[in-house]
C-alpha cells in the first residue's frame, strides 16, 4: 500500500517497513534490465489505475479519523512503524491547505500512534 491523502490538503505516502522491503528485494534480486522493465510495467499500471482502485490499494482519503483507521489497519497488516508524507506532491495544492493538512496529521492522526 502506498499513499495517504486528505481531501482538504494533499497526499501522504505510506512507506513499507525497511526490513520488509529489504527481504522483498533479496527474494527478487532482479537484473538491471528486469528492474527497468518492472519499473516500466508499474508505471504503465499507474497510468491506467482507476480512482476506486487507488482508494482501495494506494491512497487514504478522508477525515483524520478515517486516515487514522486506515493507517492502523496498515500497521496491523504490514507492521508499519512509521510513515513518509508527501503532502503536496506535484505542488498543485495551495500552501494554506498543505499547512492545514500537516496540522491535522500532527494534531489528530499522530497522537493515535506510539
Amino acid at each position: 500500500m502506498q499513499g495517504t491523502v486528505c481531501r482538504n490538503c494533499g497526499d501522504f505516502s505510506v512507506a513499507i517497513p525497511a526490513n520488509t522491503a529489504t527481504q522483498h528485494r533479496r527474494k527478487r534480486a532482479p537484473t538491471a534490465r528486469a528492474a527497468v522493465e518492472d519499473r516500466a510495467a508499474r508505471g504503465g499500471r499507474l497510468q491506467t489505475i482507476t480512482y476506486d482502485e487507488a482508494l482501495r490499494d494506494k491512497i487514504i482519503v478522508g477525515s483524520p479519523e478515517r486516515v487514522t483507521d486506515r493507517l492502523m489497519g496498515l500497521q496491523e497488516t504490514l507492521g508499519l512503524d512509521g510513515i513518509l508524507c508527501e503532502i503536496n506532491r506535484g505542488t498543485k495544492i495551495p500552501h494554506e491547505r498543505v499547512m492545514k493538512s500537516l496540522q491535522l496529521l500532527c494534531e489528530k492522526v499522530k497522537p493515535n500512534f506510539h
Side-chain angles (χ1 to χ4, degrees), residues 1 43 71 84 100-101 113:
M1 295 286 248
L71 287 175
L84 171 67
K100 182 64 176 176
S101 176
F113 299 90

Side-chain angles (χ1 to χ4, degrees), residues 6-77:
C6 177
R7 249 180 261 203
N8 298 321
C9 55
D11 58 1
F12 311 131
S13 292
V14 178
I16 297 173
N19 62 346
T20 303
T22 302
Q23 291 168 1
H24 181 69
R25 279 194 301 271
R26 283 188 192 135
K27 287 179 188 173
R28 290 181 65 200
T31 64
R33 180 181 172 145
V36 169
E37 290 170 358
D38 190 41
R39 185 176 302 139
R42 284 193 318 264
R45 284 192 304 273
L46 287 175
Q47 290 178 354
T48 61
I49 192 170
T50 67
Y51 185 68
D52 288 335
E53 290 171 322
L55 284 176
R56 184 186 66 235
D57 300 332
K58 303 288 182 198
I59 60 177
I60 301 171
V61 176
S63 67
E65 294 79 17
R66 172 136 170 79
V67 171
T68 298
D69 288 345
R70 289 286 307 274
L71 287 175
M72 284 185 171
L74 289 172
Q75 184 179 37
E76 290 175 18
T77 303

